[in-house]
């Protein structure tokens, strides 16, 4: 990415002793969490001259190693239990003027309750990065950063911070953000996909590499803690129940997603098929002249992007949009061309077009894009049955989109439900199901929904969690499948009951499919 790690020794020297105050930051700051984003924030803030204390309830070898590295920079780290028996991550250090939290810490954490009682604000690393945009531009000027490679005159000029194009939604955030970055690169712009993916955003903002525009993925957690964020343009891809244990309610979750539209200057991109996203646009307080831009899998109306006869078209960023449309790309340019992924591509295209990107770059960027692993990834075809890994489908909304991508499916599902219910998913997808194989801790919830709404669908309830469970699931699915079907791992659940993460779950599925293929080849030899 080209952004070197922020040094805690050179920032204040380059920006001056009053750097913190100039960028809206106090002198005594507590950082909650010793993960990647917490370490990034602590380094940067200490480099700007803040007295930083990092707190974390963990006290393992990895925590101590990270603490030792930060201590060399003059950063105090409090781990585990304090001398008085209190937990470090639940105790507000004396004289704290601001708390900077890692994204996963929920609002009801004891540390934040103590901060509220003391009148101390809590913000996240995205908020800190937003406040430090001008600081980053000054740093690059002071370091003599080269001004080369800007694209088509639409990027940031010398000494200017990069524009932010932001993406959120229950599903599709990472793919859409990466598609957007690919389109921007195809336009010759200096860009990176940042935020909830990749290098910590503070390191990018303060790094040596100058960018014209950033493709920023933002989670609901990050948006909750970013009160002053005001981006160029933003998209909410979809809204479905998720992380409700963190937010407390669907209303609170949606409100945090909607923060991404606040103060937008050019475009608020919404999903025509998901009225809740349009409602968030209506409720947002945006800059004068900012436009609402819809995306749809159908023919677009004015101020929308959509699909006509296999062509992605733009009726938003064209002259006389009441009558004219601009061809951007073909559906076959989207990889994979599943309906939900075409929607992702349209959202990415809308944000890029809002930034002034030409149509050819949209096409070229989509053609160049390759999705990450475990996202509707074809693994193999065995005995005329295709096996697809969508382990990233960790909630019902994502699983529904995945199931809708195929005609006849043997569905492998289950894991940790995270409070989800499955009735609506089964009702909408039942006609596509050849059968279902259920795994994981909360598989009974899915079995009950199938019994209520799709009693004709054969179900295999696999009551095992050992390392061979996925191979058993794939074999059971193969027995249910008919030639032309798809065996789809789209669990609609989190993975941590059986696997370290969704990546490991997807890898186990792929390994099981390869073993099945080898067995089939041996049988037919």
């Amino acid at each position: 990415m080209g952004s070197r790690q922020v040094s805690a020794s050179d920032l204040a020297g380059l920006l001056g002793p009053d750097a913190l105050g100039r960028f809206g930051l106090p002198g005594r700051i507590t950082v909650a969490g010793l993960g990647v984003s917490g370490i990034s924030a602590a380094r940067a803030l200490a480099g700007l001259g803040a007295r930083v204390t990092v707190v974390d309830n963990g006290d393992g070898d990895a925590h101590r190693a990270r603490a030792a590295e930060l201590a060399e920079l003059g950063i105090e780290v409090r781990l585990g239990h304090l001398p008085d028996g209190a937990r470090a991550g639940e105790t507000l250090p004396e004289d704290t003027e601001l708390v900077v939290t890692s994204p996963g810490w929920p609002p009801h954490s004891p540390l934040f309750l103590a901060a509220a009682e003391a009148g101390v604000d809590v913000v996240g690393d995205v908020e800190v990065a937003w406040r430090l945009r001008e600081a980053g531009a000054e740093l690059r000027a002071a370091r003599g950063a080269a001004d080369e490679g800007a694209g088509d005159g639409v990027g940031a000029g010398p000494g200017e911070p990069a524009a932010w194009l932001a993406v959120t939604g229950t599903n599709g955030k990472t793919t859409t953000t990466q598609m957007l970055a690919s389109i921007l690169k195809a336009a010759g712009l200096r860009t990176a996909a940042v935020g909830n993916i990749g290098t910590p955003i503070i390191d990018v903002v303060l790094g040596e590499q100058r960018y014209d525009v950033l493709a920023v993925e933002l989670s609901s957690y990050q948006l909750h803690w970013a009160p002053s964020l005001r981006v160029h343009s933003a998209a909410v891809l979809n809204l479905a129940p998720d992380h409700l244990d963190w937010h407390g309610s669907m209303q609170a979750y949606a409100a945090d997603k909607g923060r991404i539209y606040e103060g937008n200057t050019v475009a608020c991109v919404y999903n025509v098929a998901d009225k809740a996203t349009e409602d968030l646009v209506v409720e947002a307080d945006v800059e004068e002249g900012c436009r609402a831009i819809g995306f749809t899998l159908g023919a677009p109306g004015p101020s929308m992007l959509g699909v006509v006869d296999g062509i992605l078209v733009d009726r938003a960023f064209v002259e006389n949009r009441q009558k004219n449309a601009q061809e951007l790309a073909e559906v076959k340019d989207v990889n994979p061309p599943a309906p939900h992924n075409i929607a992702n591509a349209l959202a990415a295209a809308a944000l890029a077009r809002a930034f002034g990107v030409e149509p050819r770059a949209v096409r070229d960027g989509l053609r160049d894009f390759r999705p990450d692993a475990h996202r509707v990834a074809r693994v193999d075809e065995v005995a005329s049955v295709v096996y697809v890994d969508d382990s990233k489908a960790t909630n019902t909304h994502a699983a529904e989109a995945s199931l809708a991508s195929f005609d006849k499916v043997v569905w492998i599902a289950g894991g940790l439900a995270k409070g989800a219910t499955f009735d609506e998913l089964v009702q909408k997808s039942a006609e596509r199901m050849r059968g279902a194989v259920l795994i994981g801790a909360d598989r009974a919830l899915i079995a009950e929904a199938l019994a209520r709404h799709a009693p004709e669908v054969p179900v295999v309830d696999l009551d095992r969690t050992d390392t061979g469970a996925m191979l058993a699931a794939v074999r059971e699915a193969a027995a249910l499948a008919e030639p032309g079907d798809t065996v789809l791992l789209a669990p609609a659940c989190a993975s941590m009951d059986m696997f370290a993460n969704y990546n490991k779950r997807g890898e186990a599925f792929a390994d099981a499919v390869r073993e099945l293929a080898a067995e089939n080849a041996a049988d037919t030899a």
Side-chain angles (χ1 to χ4, degrees):
M1 183 171 292
S3 294
R4 75 179 178 87
Q5 195 171 50
V6 174
S7 167
S9 62
D10 64 356
L11 299 187
L14 290 169
L15 293 172
D18 62 339
L20 286 167
R22 284 201 294 125
F23 300 109
L25 296 166
R28 295 185 296 277
I29 300 175
T30 293
V31 174
L34 196 55
V36 173
S37 64
I39 290 172
S40 168
R43 285 177 175 274
L45 293 167
L48 289 166
R51 191 184 77 193
V52 177
T53 302
V54 180
V55 298
D56 196 298
N57 285 332
D59 195 19
D61 291 343
H63 286 81
R64 291 183 175 275
R66 295 172 196 151
E69 292 177 5
L70 293 181
E72 294 179 3
L73 304 175
I75 299 170
E76 180 184 358
V77 181
R78 301 180 183 181
L79 297 175
H81 285 87
L82 301 175
D84 63 1
R87 301 184 77 186
E90 298 176 358
T91 305
L92 187 70
E94 189 176 355
D95 297 330
T96 296
E97 297 175 293
L98 180 72
V99 175
V100 177
T101 179
S102 300
W105 288 47
H108 55 267
S109 296
L111 179 68
F112 305 150
L113 299 179
E117 186 174 342
V120 174
D121 288 337
V122 181
V123 301
D125 63 317
V126 170
E127 173 71 16
V128 174
W130 181 253
R131 295 186 190 184
L132 292 176
R133 290 168 3 268
E134 298 288 347
E138 286 187 27
L139 281 169
R140 284 183 287 277
R143 291 165 174 161
D147 179 29
E148 299 175 353
D152 299 331
V154 298
E160 295 179 359
W164 288 24
L165 303 177
V167 178
T168 195
T170 304
N171 295 299
K173 295 184 296 294
T174 297
T175 297
T176 302
T177 304
Q178 292 173 333
M179 282 179 171
L180 174 59
S182 183
I183 292 168
L184 296 170
K185 287 175 184 176
L189 292 159
R190 291 165 297 198
T191 192
V194 300
N196 201 39
I197 53 177
T199 301
I201 194 166
I202 293 176
D203 289 358
V204 173
V205 166
L206 297 179
E208 292 181 344
Q209 174 66 45
R210 185 164 79 81
Y211 293 104
D212 299 303
V213 55
L214 296 174
V216 186
E217 177 187 334
L218 295 174
S219 69
S220 56
Y221 303 161
Q222 291 170 316
L223 287 162
H224 180 88
W225 301 118
S228 71
L229 183 71
R230 302 290 185 270
V231 302
H232 178 288
S233 297
V236 179
L237 304 175
N238 42 62
L239 280 174
D242 202 16
H243 306 303
L244 300 190
D245 53 344
W246 195 98
H247 293 276
S249 68
M250 184 63 193
Q251 183 179 9
Y253 172 66
D256 281 335
K257 289 292 191 185
R259 287 179 181 228
I260 203 169
Y261 289 137
E262 289 298 314
N264 280 199
T265 58
V266 176
C268 295
V269 178
Y270 67 93
N271 185 347
V272 174
D274 190 337
K275 187 178 182 299
T277 65
E278 186 177 7
D279 291 342
L280 293 179
V281 176
V282 172
E283 295 163 5
D285 184 9
V286 301
E287 290 293 313
E288 186 71 27
C290 182
R291 296 171 56 200
I293 306 296
F295 65 90
T296 173
L297 294 178
S303 294
M304 295 181 186
L305 281 73
V307 181
V308 178
D309 295 332
I311 305 295
L312 276 60
V313 297
D314 172 6
R315 289 190 65 188
F317 302 100
V318 293
E319 292 186 10
N320 192 5
R321 57 183 179 272
Q322 296 295 330
K323 296 182 179 179
N324 294 337
Q326 171 66 57
E327 179 178 334
L328 299 175
E330 297 183 41
V331 166
K332 66 182 182 182
D333 294 323
V334 180
N335 181 24
H340 67 283
N341 212 38
I342 296 168
N344 294 338
L346 289 165
L351 290 173
R353 293 286 283 160
F355 196 66
V357 167
E358 294 297 320
R360 179 181 291 272
V362 174
R363 182 201 66 187
D364 293 347
L366 291 176
R367 286 179 177 176
D368 291 342
F369 170 73
R370 294 293 179 271
D372 285 348
H374 314 301
R375 289 170 166 82
V376 200
R378 178 182 169 124
V379 177
D380 203 348
E381 181 175 333
V382 182
S384 299
V385 174
V386 174
Y387 291 77
V388 173
D389 167 16
D390 196 12
S391 183
K392 184 63 173 66
T394 57
N395 55 53
T396 58
H397 188 266
E400 180 186 326
S402 191
L403 285 160
S405 302
F406 306 98
D407 292 330
K408 277 296 179 183
V409 173
V410 178
W411 182 33
I412 300 178
L416 291 175
K418 301 181 296 180
T421 58
F422 300 89
D423 293 85
E424 183 176 355
L425 166 61
V426 171
Q427 284 177 310
K428 290 184 176 180
S429 307
E431 65 181 16
R432 298 179 181 275
M433 292 184 193
R434 181 78 68 189
V437 179
L438 305 182
I439 61 175
D442 292 330
R443 65 190 183 280
L445 297 176
I446 305 175
E448 291 164 5
L450 285 163
R452 281 191 292 270
H453 305 293
E456 72 285 355
V457 173
V459 176
V460 176
D461 188 330
L462 199 62
D463 184 14
R464 54 187 290 188
T465 58
D466 58 277
T467 54
M470 186 61 80
L471 177 58
V474 167
R475 285 175 172 158
E476 293 286 0
L480 292 173
E482 298 182 7
D485 288 352
T486 298
V487 170
L488 174 66
L489 174 69
C493 293
S495 59
M496 287 77 74
D497 57 331
M498 293 175 63
F499 303 93
N501 49 51
Y502 76 83
N503 293 289
K504 293 298 184 183
R505 179 170 61 189
E507 290 167 7
F509 175 77
D511 288 343
V513 172
R514 283 189 282 269
E515 185 164 340
L516 180 72
E519 293 170 355
N520 185 74
D523 290 341
T524 57

